[in-house]
Amino acid sequence: MSINCFRTAKVPLQSFVAVRTNSRPRNSSNRLVSVFGSKSSLSFVTLRVVSSMAYEKELDAAKKAASLAARLCQKVQKALLQSDVQSKSDKSPVTVADYGSQAVVSLVLEKELSSEPFSLVAEEDSGDLRKDGSQDTLERITKLVNDTLATEESFGGSTLSTDDLLRAIDCGTSEGGPNGRHWVLDPIDGTKGFLRGDQYAVALGLLEDGKVVLGVLACPNLPLASIAGNKNNKSSSDEIGCLFFATIGSGTYMQLLDSKSSPVKVQVSSVENPEEASFFESFEGAHSLHDLSSSIANKLGVKAPPVRIDSQAKYGALSRGDGAIYLRFPHKGYREKIWDHVAGAIVVTEAGGFVTDAAGKPLDFSKGKYLDLDTGIIVANEKLMPLLLKAVRDSIAEQEKASAL
C-alpha cells in the first residue's frame, strides 16, 4: 500500500466577513468568537460563514477515521494485556491501541482525501516500535489495523506490512503552524483512563491557517444519556459510546458511536447562577491542580462536588450540558499540547460555550505543537464566564501571595 505523507499546499481559510459588535447577534447563522477583557467585559467578533457546507467532505472523512480508530481501541481495551503497555520517555503509558489508532486515522484520511493537502500533527511516532525487541508488538499492531480496515469496503482487501504501519504512524510528525491545513490528532486522549477501563477519546481536529474549523470526538465509554450528578461518570442508559462533531459556523452534533442513528444538535448548559453549576476537571491530579480548582469553585459558590473525567470526553459532555464549567490548571512547567484541546474546543464553542486561558484569551493553535497559555484553560457558557474569570484571577492571586510568604 502506498503511503504518501505531507502533501503540502497553501489552502486559504474559508472566506469570512468579520463584523465587530457589542451585543450578541440575533441571526442564529452567525458565529460568536468571544474576547474577554481584563475586567471581564465582553465584546464579540461575529463571523458569518459564507458556505456552511465547506467542510462536508472533510467531516465525513474525520467521522469515519475516528469511528474506526475507536473500534480498534474498544477491541484492545476488552482484552487488555500487560504486554500492550509500553513506557514512553515522559513516563506516561502508551498502548498498542495508541499506535494502531494513529495509523488508522492517518490511513483513512489519506484515502478519503487523496486529492487534498495532507499534514497530520499527532501525539505518537514510531521510534519505540523500531527498537530491538519490539517486533512482536509491531506485528500485533499491524494485525489490529488490518483487521479494523478490513471492515471497510473502500480499502478493498489491502493488507499493510509492518513497514507500511510504521510509515502511517510517522505521517503524524508534522509540526503544524499558522499556514495551510493541518489535521491534529490525539489517538487516545486519556491513556490512563483507557487502561483503567474508564473514559478516553479519539480526538481529531482540523486547523486552517491556525484556526480550528472542524472537530470530532469519539468517546467509546461515554453514555449517550447525561452523566450529570453521577459520581461514576455513567448513566442508567444501555446506550454507550458517543460521537461528537462540529464544523465552524454549523453547530455541534452528537450521535451514538458506530450507529446509523440520526445526529442531534447539542447546546452547552444555560445555567446562570454559579451555585447551581457543576464543574469538570481532570481525573488525574497530576494533570490539573485540584486545590486551585476547589478554591475557584468556593469563590463562585458552587455546591456540587467536582466531576472528574479523563480525556476530552469532558468537552463532549460539556457541549451537551452535562456540566457548566471545566477547569484545567496544569502543574508549573507543563506545556499544553494542541492535540489535547483542538477537537474539544470547537465542539464546545460551536455548542455555544467559550474556551479561553486563565486570562480570558482565546486559545491560539497557530504556534505549532504547543499552546502558549496564561496559567490554564477554563470553559463556561457566556453568562458564567465573567464570574469565572474573576474567581480565577482572585484565586491565582491568593495562591501566589501565599507562596511568596
Side-chain angles (χ1 to χ4, degrees):
M1 179 179 291
S2 175
I3 300 171
N4 177 27
C5 298
F6 309 127
R7 299 188 302 271
T8 59
K10 179 80 166 62
V11 180
L13 183 64
Q14 178 66 23
S15 298
F16 295 105
V17 177
V19 180
R20 185 172 295 278
T21 178
N22 292 322
S23 61
R24 190 180 187 92
R26 295 179 182 178
N27 188 338
S28 61
S29 66
N30 291 342
R31 177 72 204 121
L32 292 179
V33 176
S34 177
V35 182
F36 297 98
S38 60
K39 295 183 179 180
S40 301
S41 60
L42 296 180
S43 61
F44 298 100
V45 176
T46 305
L47 299 181
R48 294 186 177 87
V49 182
V50 174
S51 173
S52 62
M53 303 301 287
Y55 301 100
E56 185 175 13
K57 183 178 181 181
E58 289 85 351
L59 179 60
D60 287 344
K63 288 168 65 178
K64 176 185 282 190
S67 296
L68 281 172
R71 188 181 303 169
L72 180 150
C73 294
Q74 287 173 297
K75 182 175 182 180
V76 174
Q77 193 180 53
K78 287 179 181 178
L80 191 62
L81 302 174
Q82 186 62 37
S83 60
D84 286 342
V85 182
Q86 299 191 145
S87 177
K88 291 191 295 185
S89 59
D90 65 358
K91 306 303 181 185
S92 64
V94 64
T95 65
V96 293
D98 246 329
Y99 294 116
S101 174
Q102 182 158 316
V104 165
V105 170
S106 174
L107 291 163
V108 172
L109 290 180
E110 277 251 279
K111 187 170 187 64
E112 296 294 318
L113 304 171
S114 58
S115 63
E116 303 288 334
F118 186 69
S119 169
L120 178 65
V121 184
E123 184 172 17
E124 307 303 340
D125 63 56
S126 69
D128 288 345
L129 294 176
R130 295 178 184 272
K131 293 178 180 178
D132 293 342
S134 297
Q135 187 63 30
D136 288 347
T137 301
L138 178 58
E139 290 177 358
R140 174 164 168 72
I141 298 167
T142 304
K143 183 178 187 306
L144 277 168
V145 172
N146 280 322
D147 289 348
T148 301
L149 296 179
T151 63
E152 281 295 312
E153 292 182 5
S154 60
F155 279 84
S158 300
T159 301
L160 294 171
S161 67
T162 54
D163 284 340
D164 291 332
L165 189 283
L166 292 171
R167 285 194 292 271
I169 292 172
D170 284 337
C171 280
T173 56
S174 172
E175 293 294 323
N179 300 315
R181 176 176 284 191
H182 305 282
W183 290 93
V184 180
L185 170 70
D186 194 332
I188 295 184
D189 185 39
T191 309
K192 291 182 180 179
F194 175 82
L195 294 173
R196 291 196 311 271
D198 289 339
Q199 299 300 331
Y200 67 97
V202 178
L204 179 62
L206 178 61
L207 299 178
E208 207 161 78
D209 292 341
K211 307 297 182 183
V212 191
V213 297
L214 178 156
V216 174
L217 292 175
C219 307
N221 290 341
L222 189 67
L224 195 64
S226 174
I227 60 171
N230 193 309
K231 295 181 180 179
N232 297 318
N233 304 328
K234 293 178 169 48
S235 76
S236 58
S237 171
D238 292 331
E239 295 179 307
I240 304 294
C242 297
L243 184 70
F244 298 90
F245 56 92
T247 55
I248 191 166
S250 299
T252 298
Y253 293 82
M254 177 187 73
Q255 67 186 86
L256 195 62
L257 186 62
D258 277 340
S259 167
K260 300 296 184 181
S261 62
S262 298
V264 296
K265 196 169 188 177
V266 295
Q267 290 287 322
V268 296
S269 169
S270 60
V271 169
E272 297 183 15
N273 183 351
E275 292 186 7
E276 300 171 2
S278 60
F279 75 95
F280 290 171
E281 62 181 355
S282 298
F283 186 93
E284 297 285 339
H287 294 170
S288 189
L289 298 170
H290 288 168
D291 57 341
L292 179 55
S293 295
S294 178
S295 172
I296 293 166
N298 287 337
K299 288 185 182 303
L300 287 170
V302 174
K303 295 180 179 179
V307 179
R308 292 174 178 165
I309 307 177
D310 296 286
S311 84
Q312 289 178 73
K314 290 185 287 292
Y315 281 112
L318 280 168
S319 75
R320 67 186 187 187
D322 288 11
I325 296 169
Y326 170 30
L327 303 172
R328 180 181 173 96
F329 296 97
H331 291 266
K332 188 175 181 179
Y334 180 82
R335 297 183 70 192
E336 293 279 6
K337 291 94 171 176
I338 62 172
W339 51 71
D340 287 326
H341 301 284
V342 163
I346 191 170
V347 162
V348 166
T349 57
E350 283 297 320
F354 297 96
V355 183
T356 77
D357 68 10
K361 299 176 183 177
L363 305 188
D364 184 355
F365 295 107
S366 70
K367 305 296 186 182
K369 292 184 176 182
Y370 295 94
L371 287 169
D372 184 12
L373 293 175
D374 185 324
T375 309
I377 294 174
I378 58 178
V379 182
N381 64 29
E382 178 186 349
K383 297 293 186 181
L384 290 176
M385 186 58 91
L387 298 172
L388 176 57
L389 280 167
K390 185 179 185 306
V392 168
R393 281 197 301 271
D394 291 347
S395 294
I396 291 175
E398 287 181 2
Q399 189 177 70
E400 291 175 345
K401 184 177 179 180
S403 62
L405 296 177

